[in-house]
Structure formats: structure tokens, C-alpha cells
Amino acid sequence: SLNKVGATLHLAKRHKAPTKRSETYLGEPPRREYQIRVHVYQARGLEAADQSGLSDPYVVVRAMGQSARTEIKKKTLNPEFMQSLNLNVAMPFPMLMAPDILITLYDWDAVGKDDVIGRFFVNVEEAANMVTNPNDIEPKWFALHDADGHEVDGELLVAFEVLPADKTDRPFPKLNP
């Protein structure tokens, strides 16, 4: 049995230690600077969250530890936001290793905690491929879901751009209703 142990030790000594490249690959992936632009157009068919039968909605976008939010639109179930939100992030490379972008629609409350109306996730690669021509942005309707993933009333019309940090001088599009 001593010979078997010795043979095992001998084999272990022959293998090279991992190089820095493989350690990076097996550990945390390299990161690159990007700007995620979320163009929030409007929502429709939202569930009433207030006793008035309406809501005071706003949108929060979260990605890679950063967040941004729209203005609150008072007393409506079909708000028009027409805002572009901007997140400067250090994203894992390749993008397929990046966590999804979380978009949450809230109802603002004057007293107490704001209520979640609904939310959805977008894969970063899907977001990056959504706008191929900055002069021709076509937003997409996304269904809202609860925390358990069940669909709830309402949809949000948004478009995404994912730009390398050196391409962020591209102007924001004008959002028309």
C-alpha cells in the first residue's frame, strides 16, 4: 500500500500548477466597462395598487450592483415615462457570464413601503442585441411577473442598448410617444 501512495504522490508532482489564465477562468471572470441604456417608453394595463383604483408607478432598473429609476407618474394605470436610464457597469466578460438585468415597476406610496406592481428579467446578451441601429430603436413589450414568476396584469414597453465604455458618446435617442 505504501507503493500505491508513493505512485499517487509522484503523479501529483508531475502536474503543473494552474496558470494565471486558467485561475482567472475558473475564478472570477475578467470585467469590462459598459454602459447599459434602458429606454422606458410606457406601461399599460397595470393592476391598481391604491384604494383610488389607480397607481403611482415608477420603474427601477438594476444591473451589476447599479440602479436607476424613472420619475413617478401619478394616478394612472397606463403611464407614459419617455425616459432613458443609464447604468455604467463593470460587466463580466464574456457577457454570457453576466447576471440578468432586473426591471421592477413599483407603486409609490406617500406612507409606508412602495408596492411592487411587477417585474421581469432580461438577459444581458438579449439586451445587447436588441438595438442594432441607434437611429432605428424598436422597443418591445415585456409582460410583468410577481416574485414567484407568475404573470400579473400589465406590460412595460422598453428598449435596451449595451455599449462598450468607449462608445458612450453616442447620443441618446429622442423617445416619442
Side-chain angles (χ1 to χ4, degrees), residues 17-61:
T19 64
K20 269 199 176 280
R21 182 182 177 122
S22 64
E23 287 173 6
T24 301
Y25 181 76
L26 294 174
E28 186 172 327
R31 293 183 175 269
R32 295 189 180 166
E33 297 296 319
Y34 285 89
Q35 185 177 83
I36 298 174
R37 294 179 177 181
V38 183
H39 309 296
V40 183
Y41 289 81
Q42 65 186 44
R44 67 181 177 197
L46 299 180
E47 189 173 318
D50 294 338
Q51 289 182 344
S52 66
L54 298 171
S55 292
D56 303 314
Y58 65 95
V59 176
V60 175
V61 177

Side-chain angles (χ1 to χ4, degrees), residues 85-99:
L85 304 177
N86 185 31
L87 300 169
N88 294 313
V89 299
M91 191 180 315
F93 185 81
M95 275 188 203
L96 65 92
M97 300 180 91

Side-chain angles (χ1 to χ4, degrees), residues 30-169:
R31 293 183 175 269
R32 295 189 180 166
E33 297 296 319
Y34 285 89
Q35 185 177 83
I36 298 174
R37 294 179 177 181
V38 183
H39 309 296
V40 183
Y41 289 81
Q42 65 186 44
R44 67 181 177 197
L46 299 180
E47 189 173 318
D50 294 338
Q51 289 182 344
S52 66
L54 298 171
S55 292
D56 303 314
Y58 65 95
V59 176
V60 175
V61 177
R62 289 188 175 89
M64 268 90 25
Q66 303 296 316
S67 66
R69 67 179 265 182
T70 65
E71 295 175 359
I72 298 166
K73 299 298 179 178
K74 299 280 185 129
K75 300 181 185 195
T76 181
L77 299 178
N78 300 295
E80 289 187 2
F81 295 101
M82 300 303 172
Q83 285 184 256
S84 293
L85 304 177
N86 185 31
L87 300 169
N88 294 313
V89 299
M91 191 180 315
F93 185 81
M95 275 188 203
L96 65 92
M97 300 180 91
D100 290 344
I101 301 166
L102 171 62
I103 296 85
T104 308
L105 201 67
Y106 288 93
D107 171 57
W108 176 82
D109 288 327
V111 178
K113 188 176 177 185
D114 295 350
D115 302 312
V116 173
I117 295 173
R119 66 185 191 168
F120 62 94
F121 293 88
V122 175
N123 176 281
V124 172
E125 283 187 309
E126 178 185 346
N129 293 323
M130 194 168 184
V131 174
T132 54
N133 178 356
N135 298 321
D136 188 27
I137 293 178
E138 292 191 30
K140 179 180 171 184
W141 287 103
F142 288 88
L144 299 176
H145 298 84
D146 65 16
D148 296 324
H150 301 108
E151 199 165 311
V152 297
D153 289 344
E155 298 176 291
L156 189 64
L157 183 63
V158 296
F160 297 88
E161 292 182 275
V162 180
L163 305 172
D166 61 349
K167 304 284 187 212
T168 59
D169 58 346

